[in-house]
Structure formats: structure tokens, C-alpha cells
């Protein structure tokens, strides 16, 4: 039986994914997040309905200390036999922050910390725990691409410069709008997903042990993502007219159930085993491989971002995954 760890799997698209993993794929699930009561309730319900095992793991992905503690907890489950295998990691948790610029416990801009930095560290700490043939699914967003309506609607995207993004609004760095902070954090997710794929391939040219897949749910205004946004925006985006309008202007449309099911497939369906280094996006009700933004394929930017991020998360030598250290890795 496969076990899939998902962050933010107790709400929204993540919850639809969890239901699909349990009902269709009969996978055990680990719900990782910072809302223990909600997670426990979902864990009980999913276990009772589908009979699979559902564990909860305390994780605030915006706090590097919490990410390290969660990874330690998971490793202890592996050592004491509570967890037999870990087969996929879905980095789904994500957030937008409106109002004054918030900062993480480590002092980094919170959108960047939650959507990108925490995932970078979590993936590093769990990469060697994944079974051979395992997968990392990075939940991105069409807003990362300024040449599409998804990106234009949100006001474009900033430079994927980790030092600048971590310090937005302080230390002499300019303030950036909430939505632009969001789209730029998702561009970083895309650059990370592709760079991880390249590094895994270089480290194991013969057989790719882990797939790194970028996944876009599509625009779904019903979830909690816009909960902190202005009221008029929430009302408008969830209205029939609002939904019709975004579709007509060419925004990539998702659906909680369909996108959740596609997210589950990205993590577990043998049909997606060859999707490493690819971007899955909804098209006519199905998720298919698609081109992402021009910048997302920029290898020099991806490498610079990776190096900057290693410094920001203060990655220790023993935290570097063995899987990235094989022959040919840089
Ligand atoms: N909805 C869309 O239109 C859309 C489009 C493209 C991409 N996405 C992406 O899809 C993913 C899922 O979003 P959603 O739409 O399903 O929204 P959602 O219902 O708000 O789900 C977000 C999840 O992330 C969790 N989370 C937020 N901050 C966290 C933190 N610091 N630590 C741990 N967990 C945290 C939330 O947990 P709490 O309950 O504890 O807050 C929640 O479970 C996100 O990455 C989002 O960016 C969404």
C-alpha cells in the first residue's frame, strides 16, 4: 500500500485530493499541517469512509523550525516502524496575504516563506525518505506566467530573486503587492520543480529514482485561498458572473473535485510516472502536460535561486539529500 504525505490536505483542493487517494487509489495518507483539530476530524472521516490509514503530522510550512521538527518526526516514524514507506510528497499548502506585509518566524516575507521556502526545505529533508519510484508534486499556479491571462489578471510577476523576495518591504527593499508576491512565489516553485528534476537526473542518469512534477490546479475561487482578500473580490470571484468572465477572458479554469483528482493522479497514477520535469495544467476538464512560463525554464535563474535558498534556509551539510549527491550532481 502506498503512503502519500500532503500538506494542507484538510481543506480545498488538497482535501479533494485526499478523498481521491483514499477512495480510488486506496492509499494511506499523512495530513501535514498547522490546524490539528481540523486535520484530526478529516483523518477520522476519511479513515471511517474508506478504511485507509490516515495520520496527522504537525507542520507550519512557513516556519523553518517547524519544517525541521516535522521531518524529524516523520523520520522517527520510519525508524520505529509506524510508517512502512513514503511514496509521494505533495507540497500543496499555499497562501495569499493581504493587508500589511507579514513575516515568518525567521523574518522572511510570509508568502514567500509558506509557498516556497518551507517546501524547498521539506523536500530536501524528505527526499531520501521517499521510496524508489516515488514522487514530489509541487503545487504551482498559472499566475506564475505573466504572458497568460492567469498572470496578467494578478498584475504580473517579479524577479525570482530569493534574497529580495525574502526581504520584501524591509531592509530597504520595496513593497510588492500581495498578488504579485503570490505569483512570484509560485514562479519560484516552478523553477525549483524543474531544477530538482534536472539535479535528480544528473545524480542518477541510469534510473530516475524520484519524479519532480509541477502541478497547476487552475483557478478555483471557492477554496480558502482568497479568504483574506477584500470582500468585494471574494463575492465577485465566486459569483456566476465573475466565473463566467474569467473563463471568457481566457483564465485557466479548475474545479475542486477534478483538480483534486488530478493532483492525486500526479502523485500516484503509473500513467504520470514519466511526468518528471513537466507541468500539468487543466485543459477542457483534463490535466495535461503544458508549457509553463519562459522564465520557469531559465536554468541560470533556477541555479541562482537554489543557491540563495540554501543560504536562506541555512541548509546544513547533513541535510543535503544523498539522492542529489550522486555522480554528476552539482
Ligand atoms: N484556488 C485556486 O484558485 C488555486 C489556483 C492555483 C493554485 N492554487 C494552489 O493550490 C493549493 C491549495 O490551495 P486551495 O485553493 O485548496 O486553498 P485552501 O483551501 O486555502 O488550502 C490551503 C491549505 O494550505 C494550508 N496552509 C496555509 N498556510 C499554511 C502553513 N503556514 N502551514 C501549513 N499549512 C498551511 C491551509 O491550512 P489552514 O487550514 O491551517 O490554513 C490549507 O489547508 C495552494 O498551493 C494554492 O496556492 C490554488
Amino acid at each position: 500500500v502506498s503512503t502519500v504525505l500532503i500538506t494542507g490536505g484538510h481543506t480545498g483542493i488538497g482535501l479533494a485530493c485526499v478523498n481521491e487517494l483514499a477512495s480510488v487509489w486506496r492509499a494511506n495518507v499523512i495530513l501535514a499541517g498547522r490546524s490539528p483539530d481540523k486535520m484530526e476530524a478529516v483523518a477520522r472521516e476519511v479513515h471511517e469512509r474508506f478504511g485507509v490509514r490516515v495520520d496527522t503530522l504537525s507542520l507550519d510550512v512557513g516556519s523553518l523550525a517547524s519544517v525541521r521538527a516535522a521531518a524529524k518526526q516523520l523520520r522517527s516514524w520510519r525508524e520505529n516502524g509506524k510508517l512502512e514507506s513514503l511514496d509521494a510528497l505533495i507540497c500543496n499548502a499555499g497562501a495569499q496575504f493581504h493587508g500589511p506585509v507579514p513575516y515568518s518566524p525567521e523574518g522572511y516575507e510570509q508568502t514567500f516563506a509558506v509557498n516556497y521556502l518551507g517546501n524547498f526545505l521539506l523536500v530536501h529533508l524528505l527526499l531520501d525518505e521517499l521510496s524508489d519510484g516515488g514522487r514530489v508534486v509541487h503545487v504551482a499556479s498559472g499566475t506564475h506566467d505573466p504572458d497568460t491571462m492567469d498572470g496578467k489578471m494578478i498584475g504580473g510577476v517579479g524577479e525570482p530573486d530569493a534574497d529580495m523576495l525574502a526581504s520584501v518591504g524591509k531592509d530597504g527593499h520595496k513593497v510588492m503587492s500581495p498578488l504579485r508576491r503570490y505569483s512570484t512565489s509560485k514562479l519560484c516553485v516552478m523553477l525549483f520543480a524543474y531544477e530538482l528534476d534536472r539535479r535528480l537526473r544528473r545524480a542518477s542518469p541510469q534510473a530516475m529514482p524520484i519524479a519532480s512534477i509541477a502541478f497547476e490546479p487552475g483557478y478555483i475561487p471557492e477554496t480558502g485561498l482568497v479568504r483574506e482578500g477584500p470582500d468585494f473580490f471574494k463575492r465577485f470571484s465566486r459569483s456566476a458572473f465573475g466565473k463566467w468572465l474569467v473563463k471568457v477572458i481566457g483564465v485557466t479554469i479548475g474545479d475542486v473535485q477534478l483538480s483534486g483528482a488530478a493532483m492525486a493522479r500526479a502523485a500516484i497514477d503509473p500513467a504520470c510516472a514519466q511526468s518528471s520535469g513537466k507541468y500539468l495544467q487543466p485543459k477542457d476538464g483534463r490535466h495535461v502536460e503544458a508549457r509553463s512560463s519562459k522564465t520557469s525554464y531559465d536554468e541560470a535563474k533556477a541555479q541562482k535561486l537554489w543557491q540563495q535558498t540554501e543560504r536562506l534556509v541555512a541548509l546544513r551539510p547533513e541535510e543535503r539529500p544523498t539522492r542529489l549527491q550522486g555522480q554528476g550532481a552539482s
Side-chain angles (χ1 to χ4, degrees):
V1 181
S2 298
T3 299
V4 178
L5 186 153
I6 179 167
T7 62
H10 60 281
T11 63
I13 308 160
L15 176 56
C17 172
V18 166
N19 281 321
E20 183 84 3
L21 285 169
S23 62
V24 174
W25 299 97
R26 299 279 157 200
N28 293 334
V29 177
I30 301 171
L31 298 173
R34 55 165 185 179
S35 299
D37 295 347
K38 292 188 212 162
M39 285 155 52
E40 286 299 338
V42 168
R44 262 194 311 276
E45 197 193 319
V46 174
H47 171 69
E48 279 163 19
R49 280 180 68 194
F50 306 114
V52 299
R53 179 173 180 147
V54 187
D55 289 296
T56 62
L57 178 67
S58 174
L59 168 69
D60 177 346
V61 77
S63 152
L64 299 176
S66 173
V67 172
R68 287 191 162 94
K72 190 171 169 198
Q73 174 77 72
L74 191 122
R75 276 197 296 271
S76 82
W77 290 352
R78 294 276 285 131
E79 280 155 21
N80 68 23
K82 176 174 171 176
L83 177 63
E84 265 180 38
S85 71
L86 180 64
D87 303 286
L89 168 60
I90 307 179
C91 298
N92 164 69
Q96 293 177 357
F97 298 93
H98 297 266
V101 181
Y103 295 95
S104 72
E106 284 84 10
Y108 300 138
E109 194 283 309
Q110 183 82 336
T111 325
F112 182 65
V114 171
N115 294 350
Y116 170 68
L117 276 185
N119 289 322
F120 179 95
L121 182 59
L122 187 67
V123 170
H124 273 74
L125 301 182
L126 297 187
L127 202 63
D128 286 343
E129 302 300 326
L130 285 164
S131 320
D132 277 347
R135 300 188 198 160
V136 179
V137 178
H138 310 258
V139 178
S141 160
T143 59
H144 85 276
D145 187 347
D147 294 330
T148 62
M149 214 49 208
D150 310 52
K152 288 191 177 116
M153 191 176 70
I154 217 161
V157 64
E159 257 306 298
D161 177 323
D163 295 334
M164 180 272 287
L165 293 169
S167 305
V168 159
K170 66 177 203 179
D171 305 336
H173 291 273
K174 281 197 294 199
V175 174
M176 203 186 256
S177 79
L179 293 179
R180 209 173 157 92
R181 297 201 308 268
Y182 176 77
S183 59
T184 312
S185 71
K186 293 295 189 176
L187 170 60
C188 294
V189 168
M190 293 297 306
L191 286 160
F192 173 44
Y194 291 160
E195 180 63 14
L196 179 62
D197 166 72
R198 287 189 289 269
R199 289 185 185 221
L200 283 163
R201 284 178 198 276
R202 278 205 300 274
S204 295
Q206 310 303 334
M208 181 80 167
I210 304 291
S212 172
I213 302 171
F215 179 87
E216 210 275 269
Y219 175 75
I220 308 173
E222 291 85 3
T223 68
L225 192 66
V226 296
R227 69 187 146 192
E228 286 189 28
D231 277 345
F232 76 88
F233 176 70
K234 273 188 279 193
R235 274 202 303 276
F236 172 76
S237 61
R238 290 172 181 167
S239 68
F241 176 67
K243 286 196 218 170
W244 172 82
L245 188 66
V246 288
K247 196 170 178 185
V248 165
I249 62 173
V251 168
T252 308
I253 305 294
D255 168 271
V256 179
Q257 303 311 329
L258 292 179
S259 301
M263 194 188 283
R265 285 198 297 279
I268 207 165
D269 187 345
C272 295
Q274 304 306 319
S275 294
S276 192
K278 299 287 193 294
Y279 177 57
L280 303 179
Q281 194 180 39
K283 190 170 184 227
D284 304 328
R286 285 181 56 232
H287 267 73
V288 293
E289 289 180 4
R291 289 290 293 175
S292 53
S293 76
K294 211 166 142 231
T295 311
S296 68
Y297 296 105
D298 187 322
E299 294 188 24
K301 285 193 178 170
Q303 279 166 29
K304 181 179 167 207
L305 178 69
W306 188 293
Q307 282 157 9
Q308 289 177 313
T309 312
E310 282 188 344
R311 279 199 304 277
L312 288 171
V313 304
L315 197 73
R316 303 168 196 147
E318 68 275 17
E319 292 177 337
R320 288 177 196 280
T322 313
R323 278 204 165 109
L324 293 181
Q325 289 172 13
Q327 221 187 3
S330 63

